[in-house]
């Protein structure tokens, strides 16, 4: 069975009795996409290529604060919700120690990023923008390595040992603690039409309504940052 997300139709990526991990793959993709985009704009602000206006600064600070909270939530959810289920079902077939240690190593990096974002918001300048950009690069490099390891080692275990019901319960519990007003339009902006349709089918019709209500505000924030 082909499980390469780059070459597989998301609607048929998994068999009926295999967990569809598309949502997890998309969450990882969105985090890296956000880091790349915010690195770009903060570097441009530091270089003088993008104006440091009051409106842009407010939007960048709000976006980065939400992004940091989102990454923290993703990793806490894995530690507290997903890992125990994997350990229960897979037992000795999996060792999550290295991934948990990665999460622990990311905490001070994310906290350091949040602090530089606050300082940038209080005193915006090309210099403080450069500090934020540097922190973002550090987080991005660490997270990219972690995600590659996690997808290589964990996704096959989920597909093999967890039931569809197990996985649906994990995803439901994770969504309950997420900031959906940020997460939903952010995800919708980063996926293909087929992927979005698959996610809507999994999550139910309420997602479409929420996207209709939440997307305009999110797009205004994006416009304030990236134009």
């Amino acid at each position: 069975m082909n499980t390469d997300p780059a070459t597989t139709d998301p609607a048929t990526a998994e068999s009926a009795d295999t967990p569809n991990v598309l949502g997890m793959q998309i969450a990882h993709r969105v985090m890296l996409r956000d880091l790349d985009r915010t690195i770009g704009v903060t570097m441009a602000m530091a270089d003088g290529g993008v104006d440091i206006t009051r409106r842009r600064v407010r939007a960048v600070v709000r976006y980065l604060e939400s992004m940091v909270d989102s990454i923290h939530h993703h990793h806490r959810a894995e530690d507290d919700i997903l890992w125990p289920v994997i350990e229960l079902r897979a037992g000795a077939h999996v060792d999550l120690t290295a991934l948990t240690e990665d999460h622990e190593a990311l905490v001070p990096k994310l906290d350091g990023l949040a602090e530089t974002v606050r300082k940038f918001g209080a005193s915006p300048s090309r210099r403080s923008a450069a500090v934020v950009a540097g922190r973002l690069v550090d987080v991005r490099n660490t997270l990219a390595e972690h995600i590659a390891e996690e997808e290589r080692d964990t996704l096959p275990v989920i597909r093999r040992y967890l039931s569809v019901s197990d996985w649906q319960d994990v995803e439901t519990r994770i969504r309950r603690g997420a900031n959906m007003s940020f997460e939903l339009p952010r995800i919708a902006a980063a996926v293909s039409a087929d992927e979005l349709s698959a996610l809507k089918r999994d999550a139910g019709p309420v997602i479409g309504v929420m996207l209709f209500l939440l997307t305009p505000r999110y797009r205004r924030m994006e416009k304030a940052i990236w134009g």
Side-chain angles (χ1 to χ4, degrees):
M1 179 178 66
N2 181 7
T3 56
D4 182 353
T7 59
T8 303
D9 179 352
T12 59
E14 312 290 352
S15 67
D17 58 354
T18 303
N20 187 339
V21 296
L22 175 65
M24 188 174 187
Q25 292 168 308
I26 287 174
H28 290 162
R29 186 200 312 164
V30 169
M31 284 189 282
L32 296 179
R33 175 182 183 265
D34 261 2
L35 286 162
D36 287 338
R37 294 200 304 160
T38 53
I39 287 168
V41 74
T42 52
M43 282 185 169
M45 294 168 82
D47 293 341
V50 168
D51 292 337
I52 302 177
T53 63
R54 183 177 300 177
R55 180 169 178 258
R56 176 171 280 123
V57 169
R58 283 199 305 266
V60 166
V61 169
R62 187 164 67 250
Y63 200 97
L64 287 175
E65 287 176 342
S66 296
M67 185 190 75
V68 167
D69 287 345
S70 175
I71 298 172
H72 272 309
H73 167 72
H74 181 85
H75 291 154
R76 284 194 299 267
E78 288 181 337
D79 290 335
D80 298 341
I81 299 172
L82 177 56
W83 287 181
V85 176
I86 291 177
E87 289 173 338
L88 177 65
R89 300 302 188 209
H93 298 283
V94 64
D95 182 359
L96 300 170
T97 303
L99 295 176
T100 301
E101 289 174 349
D102 285 350
H103 290 172
E104 292 170 354
L106 274 161
V107 169
K109 292 178 183 287
L110 289 167
D111 290 346
L113 170 59
E115 179 61 24
T116 62
V117 169
R118 284 191 290 271
K119 290 179 178 178
F120 171 69
S123 183
S125 67
R126 291 174 62 176
R127 182 182 180 88
S128 58
V131 176
V132 173
R135 291 280 191 173
L136 285 165
V137 169
D138 184 37
V139 169
R140 204 273 182 205
N141 289 342
T142 303
L143 193 58
E145 183 177 348
H146 168 72
I147 286 172
E149 180 182 358
E150 184 174 302
E151 294 198 349
R152 182 192 68 228
D153 297 340
T154 305
L155 297 191
V157 172
I158 292 171
R159 292 187 180 106
R160 180 171 180 181
Y161 292 101
L162 271 63
S163 68
V164 172
S165 177
D166 287 333
W167 184 244
Q168 289 174 339
D169 180 62
V170 164
E171 291 198 308
T172 298
R173 291 170 63 196
I174 288 174
R175 280 196 294 267
R176 285 179 190 146
N179 176 9
M180 300 306 281
S181 65
F182 179 68
E183 299 293 354
L184 280 180
R186 173 180 177 236
I187 289 169
V191 300
S192 69
D194 285 344
E195 288 171 333
L196 184 57
S197 295
L199 291 174
K200 285 180 177 179
R201 282 196 299 274
D202 286 345
V206 69
I207 296 301
V209 176
M210 292 178 70
L211 277 172
F212 177 78
L213 296 173
L214 297 171
T215 297
R217 180 182 179 187
Y218 177 84
R219 287 181 175 166
R220 287 193 297 271
M221 182 164 57
E222 279 195 315
K223 184 174 177 60
I225 299 170
W226 289 284

